[in-house]
Amino acid sequence: CSLITAGETNEKGIIQKYSIGSVSDFSSWGYISSSSELSISHANDMQYFNGKIYLCNTNDRPSEIMIINPISLTIENTINIQYGATAITYNKKLNQFITRRKTERGIFDFYDIEFNYIKSTEVLGVTFDTVQGIDSDNDYIYELSSHQSFGNSIIVYDLKGNFIKRIGSNVMSE
């Protein structure tokens, strides 16, 4: 099992790969490799799909999804999507990518696996959260967020973008 992380310094980024012996035992984690400096700016969220990593770039180029080779840790392609994204997930049930826009009121955008735009849905029930990432399963979208009043939380939506519940931690840092 391996873990891929992305970090940013001076508008450049580095992707690192680690091996994981046991998820709960950090001493079993081992550094494998790092990419060279990449033009990924603020890499906010990544999704592994079909042997590639799809990375959202939120600061200066939010409409770009970068496709990263997980072996060489290089950018293979950059896709320009119709709307900017702060987070990305692939939903197996829908066979679609779902992205979360960087707007004051949240919007989920749906794309096919070639990133052709399908539809948008306004996030209903929660606003003004700083989205750190999203994931999904057959029934729900899970948004990892930080909020000035609520702290860090997981916000659960149905696949139509309707708010289901907030699971909070009251920790106040990103």
Side-chain angles (χ1 to χ4, degrees), residues 39-146:
S39 181
I40 59 174
S41 187
H42 185 86
N44 198 58
D45 196 15
M46 295 183 280
Q47 175 66 56
Y48 184 81
F49 169 72
N50 238 10
K52 304 290 180 199
I53 298 168
Y54 294 79
L55 182 139
C56 285
N57 188 344
T58 64
N59 278 358
D60 57 338
R61 298 184 320 269
S63 62
E64 292 181 356
I65 303 291
M66 295 179 182
I67 301 174
I68 310 292
N69 180 306
I71 305 300
S72 65
L73 302 179
T74 56
I75 299 170
E76 291 189 346
N77 195 9
T78 299
I79 298 169
N80 288 302
I81 59 174
Q82 186 163 344
Y83 300 105
T86 61
I88 185 169
T89 185
Y90 170 75
N91 186 277
K92 189 174 182 177
K93 178 180 179 180
L94 299 175
N95 193 31
Q96 296 172 0
F97 284 99
I98 304 169
T99 62
R100 177 72 150 76
R101 278 194 216 175
K102 185 177 184 176
T103 61
E104 284 186 10
R105 66 178 208 286
I107 296 174
F108 289 117
D109 294 309
F110 295 78
Y111 297 88
D112 68 16
I113 60 171
E114 300 295 323
F115 283 93
N116 296 303
Y117 173 77
I118 297 171
K119 67 179 181 176
S120 298
T121 184
E122 187 171 346
V123 173
L124 303 174
V126 178
T127 57
F128 304 112
D129 285 64
T130 301
V131 179
Q132 304 298 330
I134 59 175
D135 202 354
S136 63
D137 62 18
N138 284 339
D139 300 309
Y140 300 105
I141 300 168
Y142 304 92
E143 179 180 286
L144 308 173
S145 296
S146 58

